[in-house]
Amino acid sequence: MYDLFVIGAGPGGYEAAARAGKLGKKVALAEKQYMGGVCLNVGCIPTKTYLRSAKLMTDCREASAFAIDVSAPRLDLPALAARKDRVVGTLVKGVETLLKRSGVEVIRGHARLTSRNTVEVEGQPCQAANILIATGSRPAVPPVPGIDSASVVDSSSVFALKQIPGKLAIIGGGYIGLEFASFFAAAGSEVVVFEMLPQIASGCDRDIADRLHRELRRQGIAIRTSVKVTAIEKNVLHFTEAGGEKGRFEADSILNATGRQPVVEDLGLERAGVDFDRKGVRTSDRGKTNVPGVWACGDCTGRRLLAHAATREGIVAVNNMFGREDRLRYETIPSVIYTHPEVASVGWTEQELEAKGIPFKKSQVPMAYSGRFMIDNPQGTGLAKVLVGARYGEILGVHVLGDSSSEFIVAAAAMMEMELCASDVAGVVFPHPTVSEAMKEAILRAAE
Amino acid sequence: MATPVEMPKLGNTVEEAILVSWKKGKGDKVSNGEIIAEIETDKATFELPAPVDGTILELFVKEGDLVPVFTNVCAIGEPGESVESLRASGGDAPPAAGAEPPQAVQSAAVPPRQAAAPSSAVDESALSPRARRYLRQRSMEAPPVAGSGPGGRILEQDLIAYFAANPKVSSLARKHMEEGYEIRGAGSGINGMILARDLDAPGQKLPKIREIIARRMRDSLGSSAQYTLSASAEATGLLSLRARIKAAAGRAPDININEMVMFCTVRALIEMPELNAEFINGKIYRRAGINLGFACDTEKGLLVPVVHGCENLSIAEFAARVKELTRQTIDGTVSPDNLTGGTFTVTNLGNLGIESFTPILNVPQVAILGVDAIQLKPVRRGAGVEFVDFIGLSLTCDHQVIDGAPGARFLKLLREKIEQVESLAELNL
C-alpha cells in the first residue's frame, strides 16, 4: 500500500513524488515514456537550447554593433540536436537522482486507475491511499484535412528535422509557434506564421503582443493574423483570410503549433469516477478532483499548461494530502514567451481588468530607460507595462517585452504574492545597471 | 470681527444635533444664505445656511460630531481675523482619533517591564485597553513586541507599528484593515500571511435615524408588556364614502380610506380616553388633547408625524393636515415639533396587502393601531351567504396599563365608528 502513487514523471509528477518522498511517505511514480516529461524531453528545455543558439546566430549577425567582426554564422543542426540531447540527458539524470534520493519507487509502464485507490501498471495492481494524475498534454491536432501529411511536424517531432527548412509555415501564433518562428527565422528559414485570431500571443496584454508582432516582423518573420488554415496538400497550405479571400503557401515544412491537449484518455478515469472531459481533469485550487484520494496537477487539468504551474500544483496537492493546508494562487503565476525579444508577464492584462470591471491605473516605460538594456540590445526595443489598483495601488499585472525579462519577472510575482502595493516597491533596491530597473520604474510611476 | 455660526435650535424639544457633513471647507468663500453644512436631529435632516457673506475661517466641529444647540460650529469673516474667542469652550471635544488615553493610573499597577526585551509569551496585562481592543477586533494574538508606554506597556500604536513591519499582514491587506476590514480566519498567503482576500468588509454603521429607530424599538419591547388584538370592521361605508368623494372630485375635500380610519380612531379615543395616554415612570398620564401620530415610510426610514389637537378637527381639516405633514415628512422639511408630542399612533400596512400584524408601541404611548388590508369575507345574511368587504385592524396595547377587555372594547367601539363613517364624516356630497 503506497501513501502516494503518481502517474506521470513530468515537472508536476516528479516534483510532487520527490516532495512526498522527502516527507517520509511511501511513494511510487509510473512513467511510460520520458523521465522529466514533455518539458524536459521535447518541450521547454529543448526549445530553449535551440533558442539559445538562435540568439547567438542573431548576435553574430549583429556583432558589428558590439565592435566585433564575425563572418557569416552557419548553424549545424545535427550538432545542435546533439547538444540538446546532452543537456536533456544531464537533466534527466538529475531527475532520476532526485527521485532516488527521495526514496521514490519508479515504475516504467502505462498506468491506469482500476478504482479510486488502485492503479494497474502493465497488469500489476498497486494499492495507494492517494493517486496523483500528472499525465500532461500532447500537441493538439486541429481538424484540418491533410494535417497528417509527411511535411507536417509538431512541437515534438520538429526536433527530428535533419535540416533547416528553406520555407517554414507555422500554424498557430501562440507562444509555441512564435518561439519556433524565432528560432527558424534566426537559423535562416523564411517563416510565415498563420494565426486564426486577430492577435498573436493570445492571452498576452495587447500592447505587449502588438509590439512583439512588430518586432518579429522587423526580423523578417511574416505573420498573418485572422487567417484560417483550411487544408494541407502534401507541402502546400491552403488558407482563408478574414475577408474570405483564399490563398496558398508552399512550404518545405509545416509546423503544427495549434496548442496542447490534456492527456486524459486510457487512464481508467471513468472507472474511478473522476470528473473530466477533453479539456482536462477538473480540480480545485487545492488539487483535489471530485473523488476523495484522487488528485491531479499540471497540463492534464487543462488549467495553466505551464511547467512551473504544474510543479506548484503538484506540491500544493501533496501538502494538502498530507495535512498541510495549501492552495494555488493562479493569478500570481508568471509566464514567459522565449522569443527574441522575450515576453514575461504575471497577473492580469489590461483587457482582462477591463472585462472584469476592476478600476486600475497603468504605466508604461520603454525598456531603453534601462542603461543595461541599451548596452545589451543595440537594436532592440521593448516595454515594461504595469497595472495597479486605482484605489490602493496593489500590483495587478506586470508585462515586460525585452530580453532577460524572464529572469526578473519573478520579482514582480513575489511582490504580487506578498500583495505589495506599488508605493512599497520604492523600498526595494534593484541592482544597477540591470534591465529590471525599467520594470521598477514602471511600478513606481504607477504608484504616482 | 468674525461672525460665529451656531448650531440652530431646530424645534422646542431639540437640544443637540449631529453635524452630518460640511458642504464648505475652511478657506471657502460663502455668501449669505448659501448652504454650508448638513445637520441632523433625531427626527430629520436640515441644511445650515451661512448667516453672512465672507470666508470660512475655521471649522470647530468634525463631521459626525454631536453638537449642543447654540454651540459655534464655524466662523465666517475676513481672512486673517482671529477666531479663537469663538471656539466652543469646554474640554468635551472628542479626542483626536488614535490618541492613547492617559494611563498614569493604570500603569502604576503594572510592574515595570524591560522595554527592550520582547518575549514570545505576552502577558495580557501588559496591553493597554486600546491595544487589547485592537487585537480583539482583529482576532489576533498579542505579538512579541516591546511596549513603548509607561512601564513597558504595549500601546495600540506599538501593535500598529509591529503589524506594519511584520509580514503577517500584506501591505494591501493592511490598507484594507485601516479602513475597517476585519480578519476572517487564517491567512492564505505564504507562511499564513494575511492577504486582502482573507478579510471581510467592515460592517456599515447605521445612519443616525436608523440608530434612533433601533433604540426606540428595543426600548419599546424592553419597557412594556405588549399584546395585539385583531378584528375587522365592515368596510362598505369606507368604500362607499370614498367612491362618493371621488365622484365629487373638485367639489369635495379629498379624503382617503386611511384618513377616514384615523378620523374614526380619533372619534373612538374621545369616547375611550384611557387609550389616549402615556405611561411614564409608573404613572399614567391621560392626555386631554388627541395628538394622533401616523407612521410614514420615508427613504431614510420610519418617521411618525403628529396631527395635534385632532379632537377639534373636521374630517376635511384632519385629512388636509395629514396630507400636508406627509408631504413635509417625505421632503424632509417637517418641523421637529411636528414629529413629537403624539398621544396615540396609527400605522397602515394594508396598502401593502398585509392582513394582520403586530404593531410595536410608540412608548410611552399605551396603544397603537395597525390598519390592515380590505378583504372580502363571507357573511351569513338570512338563509344565504354574501361576500362583504372588511378592513382588518390590529391593536397593540401595553398590558401594564390596558387589560385585554378594555383593549377589545376599544376595537369594538372603533369598528362601530368605521361602520358609521358616512354619518361621522358629516360631509355634504
Side-chain angles (χ1 to χ4, degrees), chain B residues 129-141 159:
Chain B
R130 286 180 71 117
R132 223 170 294 160
R133 188 186 61 184
Y134 180 92
L135 292 174
R136 194 178 56 238
Q137 284 175 344
R138 291 162 179 76
S139 319
M140 293 196 292
E141 284 180 32
L159 297 177

Side-chain angles (χ1 to χ4, degrees), chain B residues 239-288:
Chain B
L239 294 169
S240 144
L241 182 58
R242 180 70 188 146
R244 283 161 56 208
I245 287 170
K246 271 192 178 165
R251 293 180 288 113
D254 183 24
I255 305 162
N256 63 32
I257 287 181
N258 187 42
E259 289 151 3
M260 292 177 201
V261 173
M262 284 199 282
F263 183 75
C264 293
T265 307
V266 172
R267 297 287 126 181
L269 287 171
I270 292 170
E271 288 178 34
M272 264 190 84
E274 54 265 51
L275 269 76
N276 190 52
E278 290 175 281
F279 184 53
I280 303 168
N281 292 333
K283 290 184 180 160
I284 185 89
Y285 295 85
R286 295 249 167 91
R287 298 304 185 190

Side-chain angles (χ1 to χ4, degrees), chain B residues 5-175:
Chain B
V5 182
E6 287 179 344
M7 176 63 76
K9 187 163 168 71
L10 299 153
N12 293 333
T13 55
V14 176
E15 296 305 328
E16 54 192 11
I18 289 177
L19 192 132
V20 179
S21 63
W22 284 108
K23 300 295 176 202
K24 297 285 171 184
K26 185 176 172 178
D28 285 355
K29 277 198 164 11
V30 294
S31 45
N32 189 350
E34 201 174 343
I35 303 306
I36 54 174
E38 193 178 64
I39 53 184
E40 193 174 85
T41 69
D42 56 351
K43 308 293 184 195
T45 304
F46 302 88
E47 288 172 330
L48 181 64
V52 291
D53 294 344
T55 301
I56 297 193
L57 301 176
E58 190 62 64
L59 305 179
F60 299 133
V61 301
K62 295 198 306 290
E63 291 186 350
D65 282 358
L66 186 63
V67 184
V69 298
F70 303 135
T71 303
N72 294 345
V73 294
C74 69
I76 298 176
E78 293 302 316
E81 284 183 287
S82 167
V83 298
E84 280 319 300
S85 60
L86 303 176
R87 190 183 287 278
S89 59
D92 52 5
E100 194 75 16
Q103 299 189 337
V105 180
Q106 298 155 346
S107 64
V110 178
R113 288 167 56 86
Q114 293 295 325
S119 75
S120 55
V122 174
D123 182 3
E124 272 279 301
S125 68
L127 295 165
S128 78
R130 286 180 71 117
R132 223 170 294 160
R133 188 186 61 184
Y134 180 92
L135 292 174
R136 194 178 56 238
Q137 284 175 344
R138 291 162 179 76
S139 319
M140 293 196 292
E141 284 180 32
V145 60
S148 67
R153 199 174 181 78
I154 298 169
L155 308 182
E156 185 182 27
Q157 69 210 43
D158 296 331
L159 297 177
I160 291 170
Y162 175 86
F163 287 116
N166 196 293
K168 228 22 199 174
V169 176
S170 81
S171 173
L172 177 61
R174 193 174 74 252
K175 286 191 166 77

Side-chain angles (χ1 to χ4, degrees), chain A residues 324 327-329 331 391-394 416-421 423-424, chain B residues 167 170-173 175-176 179 181 188-190 193-197:
Chain A
R324 204 188 128 186
R327 56 185 287 184
L328 218 98
R329 292 170 290 274
E331 60 277 16
R391 184 173 165 86
Y392 300 108
E394 73 275 26
M416 290 181 66
E417 191 70 67
M418 306 305 271
E419 283 191 346
L420 291 193
C421 297
S423 55
D424 299 326
Chain B
S170 81
S171 173
L172 177 61
K175 286 191 166 77
H176 279 86
E179 296 186 353
Y181 279 68
S188 65
I190 290 171
M193 180 163 65
I194 288 156
L195 304 179
R197 66 146 65 97

